[in-house]
Amino acid sequence: MASDDVPATGSTFDDPVYRTGVTELIGILCYGEISATERLAEDATMAPDLATKAEILAMAAAEWDHFEKLRERLAGLVDEPYPFIEQFAPIFDRFHAQTSPSDWLEGLVKAYVGDGLAADFYREIAAFLDSDTRELVLETLSGTGHSDFVVDAVRGAIAAEPRVGGRLALWGRRLMGEALSQAQMVVAERDALSAVMVGGIDHPGLDLAGIGRMFARITESHAARMDKLGLDA
Amino acid sequence: MASDDVPATGSTFDDPVYRTGVTELIGILCYGEISATERLAEDATMAPDLATKAEILAMAAAEWDHFEKLRERLAGLVDEPYPFIEQFAPIFDRFHAQTSPSDWLEGLVKAYVGDGLAADFYREIAAFLDSDTRELVLETLSGTGHSDFVVDAVRGAIAAEPRVGGRLALWGRRLMGEALSQAQMVVAERDALSAVMVGGIDHPGLDLAGIGRMFARITESHAARMDKLGLDA
């Protein structure tokens, strides 16, 4: 949790910069959920058996539920949710173009690591939000409870063919690098969104040391996930 | 409704043939929902804009909800639901192999017509089931409420380019022909399942005239759907 760095403040929608930043954040989360739903559905077509396919489709359905909650909120903030959401497509399209899985195992690792990283980012950002928005964001990043089977599948594949572990470890590092690179571009491109995190006159935000600690936390969680999969981070 | 032909009877799971037939039916419905979820997710990737993509993904998510309800029931009837469900894959794989849409509009018409036909078949079969199973089947075929936009999209495309109407009308006829052909193969291959419909000593079923009336009802509903899309049946 980021709560030791930044106590949640009384920032409200009266502040136009805050409002813009939060609206952008929800738009980004919306596109992220659509994108995750689609990628998981695509992964499902590669599943080796029907039970595994069902696990992946259940993850896709959970992401879709999250999307619907976020879209409902966004509809109270902008007149036309879909064109608003669509502007964030390039962020995710760039990420996916750079991290297209070459097989089923890479797809599984991407779903697991990507879902975890996204949850970490959003949990960090949640600390800067008003309580309603924070609750929504935390609710939509709650683990879907379907990804334990990824751990079994990846560990099983490495046990059967140890060479696979080296390849997937490289893959995990690439996913992390691309995710950080995209996150950094978003913050650089979106002044209002970064203002939510950096703070303003009426609410505290992150200083440079705080940003450093945030990235340290995200990196540690990533390493813990890789370890759980049996992969070197 | 088929209720004028066959009153629901007191058939129970004590009758092993009935039990086998109903278990097979639920297995078929399960695979059908998985298959529909996957096809819709694939269609969504071709959507011309994000709002349309979201409509299609919402349909996919609704099919997935249906699957989860059916799987839960199946888990009370067989020890290993997934291998049981998987045996019915060829039915749907054959249908989809014969009706692979060549573009977005064919995909939309297939989703709309296919969903409607499936609902018609299952509603007819529901009339022969015990009340618990009937309720489950009727619940999972209830319209997802997301397909009105298909009517607008197809009518819009025909208005813009009338030639499209002829091509899609042929396509609709092909979908109907393949669906009937697969349904007939299922009944021919599955004795217990067809026994549920044809009846036994302790419960009435369909005679030849009843089967004829059933197909007449299904054909009429199909024609009504084609008409709603602006297509000749």
Side-chain angles (χ1 to χ4, degrees), chain B residues 5 197-198 205-213:
Chain B
D5 276 317
M197 298 182 67
V198 176
L206 279 181
D207 57 10
L208 212 57
I211 292 176
R213 282 193 296 276

Side-chain angles (χ1 to χ4, degrees), chain A residues 38 41 53-54 57 61 64 82, chain B residues 38 41 53-54 57 61 64 82 85:
Chain A
E38 284 198 290
K53 182 184 294 246
L57 288 174
W64 184 255
Y82 286 107
Chain B
E38 283 199 289
K53 182 185 294 248
L57 287 174
W64 184 255
Y82 286 107
I85 294 169

